[in-house]
Amino acid sequence: MSFVPKPSVGAFPSLLAWQRFALALLACAATALIATPLLKYLDLANIVMLFLLTVLLIGVSLGLAPALLAAFVSVGMFDFFFVPPRFSFEVHDGQYLVTFAVMLAVAIITGQLTAGLRRQADESAAEALRTHALYEMARDLSGALMLEQVVDITRDFLHKVLNAESTILLPDSTGRLQACSGQKSARLQIEPRLAIMAYDGGKPVDCVQLADSGYAELYLPLKASQRVRGVVAVASSESGLAPEFLHTQQQRLETMASLVAIAVERVHYVDVAQNTQVQIVSERLRSSILSALSHDLRTPLTALVGLADSLTISKPPLAEAALETAEAIREQAERLAGLVGNLLDMARLNAGDVTLQKEWQPIEEVIGSSIKLLGRALAEHPVKVSLAKDVPLIEFDAVLIERVFCNLLENAAKYSPPGLAIEIAVHLRDGKLEVAVSDSGQGFAVDKDHAVFEMFVRGQPESSTPGVGLGLAICRAIVEAHAGTITAANRAQGGACVTFSLPLGEPPRIEEEVLAQEDGRQSCNP
Amino acid sequence: MSAKVTERVSERAATVLVVEDEKLIRRFVRTALEGEGCRVFEAATSAQGLIEAGQQKPDLVVLDLGLPDGNGIDFIRHLRGWSDVPILVLSARAHEKDKIQALDVGADDYLTKPFGVGELRARARALLRRQSRDGEGATPIMEFGDVRVDFSRRAVTRKGDALHLTPIEYRLLCVLLANSGKVMTQRHLLREVWGPSCVESNHYLRVYLGHLRQKLEDDPTQPKYLLTETGVGYRFQP
C-alpha cells in the first residue's frame, strides 16, 4: 500500500491511465446504448440527465481527467445519437446549442467537484494511515534493542509512508559520522557536509537541488534529551514525484526524527549498561578463578614444604641420607612454589587484574627487603648495592617492584658461579631513575637479549638450570605498568646486566622537623 | 634457648591453638610446635576455633586467614572481644591487604605461605616471649648490634659514640623497639608517632625510617634490625 498522493486516481487506483479513459468512453457508449430504446418514452431533457449521471459516476470512480473526457464525449454523443436530425452532428434547432453548453458546463463542474471530493477523501485517508504508521513505528521503536533494528524500522517507515529512501548516520568512536548499516543495504548517497551541518547545528538541512540525484536531500538531526545523537538522511526515491512533497511532510519527518533519536539514545544506554554488566561479571569470574587457583596450588605446596621440613626435626633424628632427601624435597617444593607464584603473577598481570598501589618511597627500601626475602637463595652471592647520592623518592608499587628485584637477583644468582658478587647500581639518568642489576655469569646468549623478556624464552635454551622463563617477562610487565623501560645486555667484562628505569615525577614535599618542638606531635602536612 | 623461653611462659608448657582447615598443614605446624615443647590444640573451622579458644585459654593462636566458614578477620575481631592472646596469621603472598587488615584488627604477626619449620618456630617463640614479658615492666636499656638505647636518659649510642636522633626519629625508634619482633603496619606507626591526623602520609614514615637506618644500620640498603615488610609495614628484629 502506498500513501503517496498521485494525481487523483479515483476508486480504482490499480488501473492505468489509458484503461481509465477507455472505461470512461465505454461508460458513455453504454449510456447512449441504454438511452436509445428509451427515446420513445423520455424527453431529450431526461436523456441529458442520464449523461450527466454517467459523468458524475465517472468523476467519482475514475477521477478528474476521465470525467472531463466523458463530459465532452457525452455532449458529442447526445448531439449525434439523440438530437434530430439523428446520426449527424447537425443541429436544426438553435435551442439545442444552449442545451449543449449547459450540459457541458454542468458535466465539467460535476466531474471536477466529485473528483476533487474523492481526492480529498483519499488524501485524508492516506493522512490517517500515515499517522497510524507513525504510531506503529513509535511502538516498534520502543521494542527495539539493537541499533540495526532502529535503522531498519526507520527505513521501512520512510519507504512505506513517504516512499523515500533513508539512512541513519551516527558518530563513531572518533566522533565522525558513519552510515549505520542495517540489514538491508542502502543505495543512498550521502553528502557529508550537509550531514555534519545538520549534526552540529541541530537543525534540519534541506537541499532541493539534490532531489533525484541519488543523494539524500534532507538531513534531519536526531535530537535526544542529552545531545544530538546522529542524523537521518532522506531522499524521495521515485522520480516524478512532486519534489516539494518531502517538504510538505517536514513536520511529520521531524516528529519521526525525534522518535528515532529517543530510540537511539535508549539503545545506547542499554549497550552501556550491558557492557558494564558483562565487565563486572567477567572481572569477578577472573579474579575468583585466580584466587581459587592460587589457593588450591599453594595449599599443597605449603604442606609439602612444611612436612619435608618437619622431617629434619623428627625424633629420633633421621639418618644422614634421609635428612638430605628431606632437605632436597623442601628445596624443590619451595622452587615449585616460586614458579607457581610467577605463573599466577603473570596471569594476573596479563588479565589486567593488577591495580598499582603506587606510593612515594625510597627505592633502597625494596632492594633491602628483596635481598632479605631471597635469603638462602643468595647465600653464595654477596650483593653489592651502590646508590647514587640524592636519589629522590619514587612513586611505585612496592610489592611489584620488590618482585622485579627478586626475579632479577634470583636470575643473577642462578646463572653466575658461587662466590661472585651481584651488583645493584642505582642512579639518575635523563630525568629517570635507572637501576642496573648485573652478575658475573655467562651472560645472555647472543641475539637473545631482547627476546628474553618474552614469556617462556630463556637466555640459555639448553640450560640445566631450572626455570621456565617467566621471571623477566614478569619484570617487563611490571616495569611497563609503571611507565618504565627494561633492557638486557651483556657486560663488556662478562656477565649479564638487566637495566630498568622508572619515571621520577614530583615527589611530595617533606616538612623539615622543627627541633625545638621536642615533645609535641610533629605535623605531617604543610 | 627455646626450652628456657617456654619455661618462662609458666610452669606448665605453653598451649597453642592452630586454626587451619588443611589437615596436612595442621599436622606439620603441630609437629614443629610440639618440638618446641608446646601443647597443641587443633581446630578446622573458625567456629570450632572460637570454642577451643574459650575452653583451652591458649598462649598463642596460629590462624589461617582463608577458612571455609567465614574469614579469619572476623575470627580475630571475635577473639579480641575477650582475649589478648597473641595471634600469628598464615597468609599467601600477594594478599597484603588481608595481612594489613588482620594486623589492624589485632593480629600480632604473620607468616607468608609457604613457610618452613624454622620460620614458624622463630615467630611463635617471639610471640610467646612477648607474652611472658608483659607485666614484667619495660627494660630501661636495649641493645642490638652496636647500638645501645637508654630509655631513662633518652640516649642512643653506637659503638660507644653518642648518636643524635631528632624527636621524631627517637619516637619512631621507641615504638619499634617497644614492639620488638612484631610487624607494625604503616598506619599504626603513623598514628603512634605523628598522630591520628597523619595516617595517610606514608612517605613521612618511609623517609624517617630511612634516616634511622642511616644512623643505626651498618649497611642501610641491607638492614639487619629495622626491616621492611613490603606492602605491610615495618618490624624491629632484635
Side-chain angles (χ1 to χ4, degrees):
Chain A
M1 201 187 322
S2 172
F3 307 116
V4 181
K6 300 250 166 75
S8 178
V9 292
F12 305 103
S14 56
L15 292 179
L16 295 174
W18 70 266
Q19 289 172 324
R20 253 186 266 281
F21 289 111
L23 270 179
L25 290 176
L26 272 177
C28 292
T31 309
L33 215 60
I34 292 165
T36 306
L38 297 175
L39 190 57
K40 288 179 245 171
Y41 313 105
L42 295 177
D43 279 348
L44 279 180
N46 288 330
I47 303 288
V48 170
M49 291 302 159
L50 286 179
F51 276 106
L52 287 180
L53 178 65
T54 307
V55 172
L56 180 82
L57 290 176
I58 289 171
V60 170
S61 57
L62 296 175
L64 178 61
L68 290 179
L69 175 72
F72 285 100
V73 171
S74 300
V75 172
M77 283 187 170
F78 176 66
D79 179 13
F80 191 77
F81 291 111
F82 300 98
V83 174
R86 293 182 66 197
F87 307 108
S88 105
F89 287 108
E90 269 176 73
V91 178
H92 290 163
D93 192 341
Q95 283 196 47
Y96 283 111
L97 292 177
V98 178
T99 310
F100 294 155
V102 172
M103 185 182 168
L104 187 62
V106 171
I108 287 173
I109 292 167
T110 312
Q112 253 175 347
L113 282 178
T114 50
L117 272 176
R118 176 85 231 172
R119 195 179 60 229
Q120 274 172 17
D122 284 352
E123 263 176 29
S124 44
E127 203 66 7
L129 281 171
R130 273 184 225 125
T131 309
H132 186 70
L134 194 64
Y135 155 75
E136 281 189 336
M137 181 206 187
R139 197 189 54 201
D140 290 351
L141 281 178
S142 70
L145 291 175
M146 288 181 304
L147 217 49
E148 288 75 20
Q149 285 173 304
V150 175
V151 173
D152 285 342
I153 290 168
T154 310
R155 180 174 299 148
D156 287 348
F157 170 81
L158 283 169
H159 191 76
K160 193 168 89 174
V161 175
L162 300 176
N163 199 13
E165 289 293 329
S166 66
T167 299
I168 291 184
L169 303 164
L170 297 175
D172 61 10
S173 50
T174 59
R176 283 181 44 206
L177 284 175
Q178 296 287 351
C180 196
S181 54
Q183 279 160 12
K184 294 155 198 172
S185 66
R187 297 185 307 276
L188 194 59
Q189 305 269 13
I190 305 295
E191 177 53 53
R193 270 172 303 175
L194 296 180
I196 290 167
M197 263 169 71
Y199 182 70
D200 291 343
K203 291 204 176 76
V205 173
D206 185 353
C207 186
V208 187
Q209 288 87 339
L210 281 176
D212 293 338
S213 62
Y215 277 85
E217 53 192 277
L218 185 61
Y219 298 84
L220 298 157
L222 298 174
K223 267 196 276 190
S225 58
Q226 300 289 319
R227 57 190 182 86
V228 178
R229 292 264 162 208
V231 173
V232 55
V234 187
S236 47
S237 64
E238 198 168 297
S239 58
L241 191 68
E244 308 80 31
F245 173 63
L246 268 187
H247 313 294
T248 62
Q249 294 293 323
Q250 191 139 332
Q251 189 76 43
R252 175 162 290 122
L253 283 168
E254 279 174 30
T255 312
M256 179 213 72
S258 60
L259 285 176
V260 174
I262 292 166
V264 168
E265 186 163 77
R266 191 173 49 74
V267 168
H268 169 75
Y269 284 125
V270 167
D271 258 13
V272 169
Q274 236 160 23
N275 283 347
T276 318
Q277 191 73 25
V278 167
Q279 217 171 336
I280 289 171
V281 169
S282 74
E283 252 162 41
R284 202 176 294 154
L285 187 68
R286 199 162 50 202
S287 69
S288 70
I289 288 174
L290 274 178
S291 65
L293 199 62
S294 105
H295 178 262
D296 287 358
L297 288 170
R298 280 204 180 100
T299 303
L301 283 170
T302 305
L304 196 54
V305 169
L307 289 170
D309 212 20
S310 61
L311 282 178
T312 59
I313 57 158
S314 61
K315 283 175 191 156
L318 296 177
E320 188 69 17
L323 272 182
E324 272 174 27
T325 309
E327 185 60 27
I329 293 175
R330 182 205 149 112
E331 254 173 42
Q332 293 303 314
E334 272 182 344
R335 177 168 291 157
L336 197 54
L339 288 177
V340 165
N342 267 351
L343 276 168
L344 289 172
D345 279 355
M346 200 68 226
R348 268 205 196 88
L349 287 165
N350 268 355
D353 203 27
V354 176
T355 17
L356 297 186
Q357 307 281 330
K358 277 195 188 179
E359 284 185 17
W360 292 98
Q361 50 204 314
I363 190 88
E364 62 264 32
E365 198 161 80
V366 281
I367 297 179
S369 64
S370 47
I371 294 171
K372 177 88 185 158
L373 202 65
L374 286 175
R376 237 189 297 188
L378 289 176
E380 292 173 327
H381 299 274
V383 181
K384 276 195 251 167
V385 182
S386 66
L387 196 66
K389 285 262 175 266
D390 53 73
V391 170
L393 296 186
I394 307 289
E395 195 182 28
F396 59 88
D397 183 320
V399 176
L400 292 178
I401 294 295
E402 183 185 76
R403 191 89 209 124
V404 172
F405 276 110
C406 280
N407 283 351
L408 295 181
L409 288 172
E410 216 173 0
N411 272 354
K414 262 196 318 202
Y415 293 104
S416 59
L420 293 180
I422 298 168
E423 288 168 40
I424 301 179
V426 181
H427 47 254
L428 301 181
R429 176 171 297 170
D430 301 333
K432 282 178 177 173
L433 180 88
E434 204 176 83
V435 181
V437 178
S438 43
D439 62 48
S440 310
Q442 51 196 337
F444 296 104
V446 191
D447 77 85
K448 267 277 177 97
D449 50 347
H450 199 72
V452 288
F453 291 109
E454 303 294 328
M455 268 193 269
F456 307 114
V457 171
R458 307 188 56 196
Q460 296 289 341
E462 275 95 42
S463 171
S464 60
T465 318
V468 290
L470 268 180
L472 286 176
I474 290 173
C475 290
R476 182 172 72 172
I478 293 173
V479 169
E480 284 177 356
H482 283 83
T485 54
I486 187 164
T487 54
N490 286 331
R491 297 199 299 175
Q493 66 269 46
C497 176
V498 178
T499 309
F500 70 90
S501 69
L502 294 174
L504 286 181
E506 290 264 334
R509 223 154 52 91
I510 300 281
E511 283 276 283
E512 278 303 311
E513 192 174 352
V514 185
L515 286 171
Q517 219 175 341
E518 185 60 30
D519 224 33
R521 291 274 156 103
Q522 200 67 32
S523 84
C524 53
N525 283 316
Chain B
M1 167 181 172
S2 63
K4 262 193 234 161
V5 168
T6 43
E7 269 166 31
R8 254 198 297 165
V9 169
S10 70
E11 290 308 310
R12 64 185 178 93
T15 52
V16 181
L17 172 63
V18 180
V19 189
E20 158 71 69
D21 58 321
E22 183 61 36
K23 197 176 148 214
L24 288 175
I25 297 180
R26 273 205 313 270
R27 191 173 121 195
F28 96 76
V29 170
R30 169 191 275 276
T31 313
L33 294 175
E34 280 178 350
E36 277 293 278
C38 300
R39 283 172 63 213
V40 178
F41 298 94
E42 294 178 16
T45 62
S46 141
Q48 199 195 337
L50 284 170
I51 295 170
E52 289 281 327
Q55 284 175 350
Q56 307 299 340
K57 306 268 183 322
D59 300 305
L60 171 68
V61 175
V62 178
L63 169 72
D64 180 19
L65 274 189
L67 289 171
D69 61 331
N71 68 25
I73 305 294
D74 292 335
F75 178 94
I76 300 170
R77 280 211 189 93
H78 266 281
L79 192 59
R80 277 286 171 262
W82 46 270
S83 166
D84 57 357
V85 55
I87 300 172
L88 174 60
V89 162
L90 307 178
S91 163
R93 192 176 66 77
H95 290 194
E96 270 70 25
K97 269 193 195 137
D98 297 352
K99 293 174 193 164
I100 293 173
Q101 211 188 350
L103 292 169
D104 277 341
V105 297
D108 293 88
D109 203 348
Y110 68 83
L111 259 179
T112 301
K113 290 180 179 181
F115 52 88
V117 169
E119 292 156 280
L120 174 65
R121 283 177 159 184
R123 297 294 166 88
R125 264 203 302 268
L127 289 172
L128 286 170
R129 193 163 46 215
R130 283 175 49 74
Q131 172 85 333
S132 70
R133 222 180 24 227
D134 281 354
E136 275 180 24
T139 48
I141 290 174
M142 266 187 92
E143 284 182 76
F144 57 94
D146 305 326
V147 179
R148 179 186 161 92
V149 183
D150 186 338
F151 294 106
S152 57
R153 295 191 300 120
R154 304 185 72 124
V156 184
T157 57
R158 186 173 166 202
K159 292 175 181 161
D161 301 333
L163 274 184
H164 176 72
L165 296 189
T166 69
I168 286 190
E169 286 165 8
Y170 181 73
R171 199 152 55 224
L172 182 57
L173 181 64
C174 287
V175 174
L176 285 166
L177 294 184
N179 295 282
S180 159
K182 188 176 162 182
V183 187
M184 306 292 286
T185 62
Q186 292 168 355
R187 179 176 276 271
H188 189 113
L189 285 172
L190 282 162
R191 199 172 51 223
E192 291 280 308
V193 179
W194 277 270
S197 60
C198 298
V199 288
E200 302 299 328
S201 313
N202 289 346
H203 54 279
Y204 273 82
L205 176 58
R206 298 216 161 91
V207 167
Y208 278 93
L209 215 110
H211 292 170
L212 274 184
R213 283 190 183 134
Q214 294 283 349
K215 290 178 181 175
L216 303 179
E217 294 277 0
D218 288 335
D219 181 354
T221 60
Q222 298 184 46
K224 283 201 186 100
Y225 305 105
L226 303 171
L227 304 183
T228 308
E229 298 286 338
T230 305
V232 178
Y234 296 95
R235 174 206 302 275
F236 170 72
Q237 186 72 55

